[in-house]
Amino acid sequence: MEGGCIFCDIISGRLPAVKLYEDSYVVVFLDICPASPGHALVVPKYHAESLEDLPEAYRSRLLSTVARVAPAILRAVGGEAYNVLINNGRPAGQEIMHVHLHIVPRRTGDGCKTLYCRRTKPGWEELKALGERIRAAMRAS
Ligand code: 5GP
Ligand code: ZN
């Protein structure tokens, strides 16, 4: 999907990016607006908006690529840990509509709150009822 998708243009080489790793399924490059030094994006070489639309061969490569690349990123930037994040869909914060996974290096006390949101404390019965609704939705699909 060249000419309409920034990440497809990076994959094809029409747009520049600082690439860290590449194989026939994925490319990993540095985010231009990093949440922390070394913030990288793992991008499948297949244009799909969401995780559900991605063929399984590409989807499974996302996580195995994290395990391959993240330790080297941490060594290079002196990171101690990292968050893995997919913003799947616009209400979840997805801005580039080509599915991708973020690796965000972290250090103790860095103040970065990539996964911060206000938590609730539902009762056990409420959790059980919700669980039944989700299992029913899975059976129906
Ligand atoms: P999203 O919100 O879709 O999960 O994340 C999109 C990410 O892509 C953002 O973190 C943003 O900084 C990054 N980004 C947007 N445009 C470009 C670009 O042209 N090059 C690179 N390397 N990253 C980009
Ligand atoms: Zn694309």
Side-chain angles (χ1 to χ4, degrees):
M1 192 190 175
E2 290 182 28
C5 172
I6 291 172
F7 287 177
C8 281
D9 286 346
I10 288 174
I11 290 164
S12 71
R14 283 157 56 97
L15 282 179
V18 178
K19 292 182 181 170
L20 307 177
Y21 173 78
E22 186 167 15
D23 63 27
S24 49
Y25 289 93
V26 295
V27 59
V28 184
F29 52 84
L30 290 175
D31 196 298
I32 42 160
C33 195
S36 69
H39 181 171
L41 303 173
V42 182
V43 181
K45 288 185 171 177
Y46 182 101
H47 183 87
E49 276 198 16
S50 74
L51 211 48
E52 310 85 83
D53 300 333
L54 202 56
E56 178 56 29
Y58 290 86
R59 187 164 47 221
S60 56
R61 283 294 185 113
L62 296 180
L63 213 48
S64 55
T65 303
V66 172
R68 174 185 283 236
V69 176
I73 295 175
L74 293 193
R75 283 198 299 277
V77 302
E80 298 171 324
Y82 58 93
N83 290 112
V84 172
L85 177 69
I86 296 177
N87 297 321
N88 205 57
R90 287 192 199 280
Q94 185 174 5
E95 291 178 355
I96 305 289
M97 303 314 284
H98 178 136
V99 64
H100 55 282
L101 180 155
H102 296 251
I103 300 172
V104 183
R106 301 295 306 276
R107 294 173 72 97
T108 306
D110 62 15
C112 177
K113 291 181 177 165
T114 51
L115 297 177
Y116 178 78
C117 63
R118 200 152 54 86
R119 301 291 182 98
T120 61
K121 191 87 177 71
W124 185 239
E125 291 306 319
E126 194 182 331
L127 282 180
K128 282 202 301 191
L130 179 57
E132 178 46 45
R133 272 170 43 214
I134 294 170
R135 286 193 298 274
M138 288 171 76
R139 285 194 296 275
S141 65

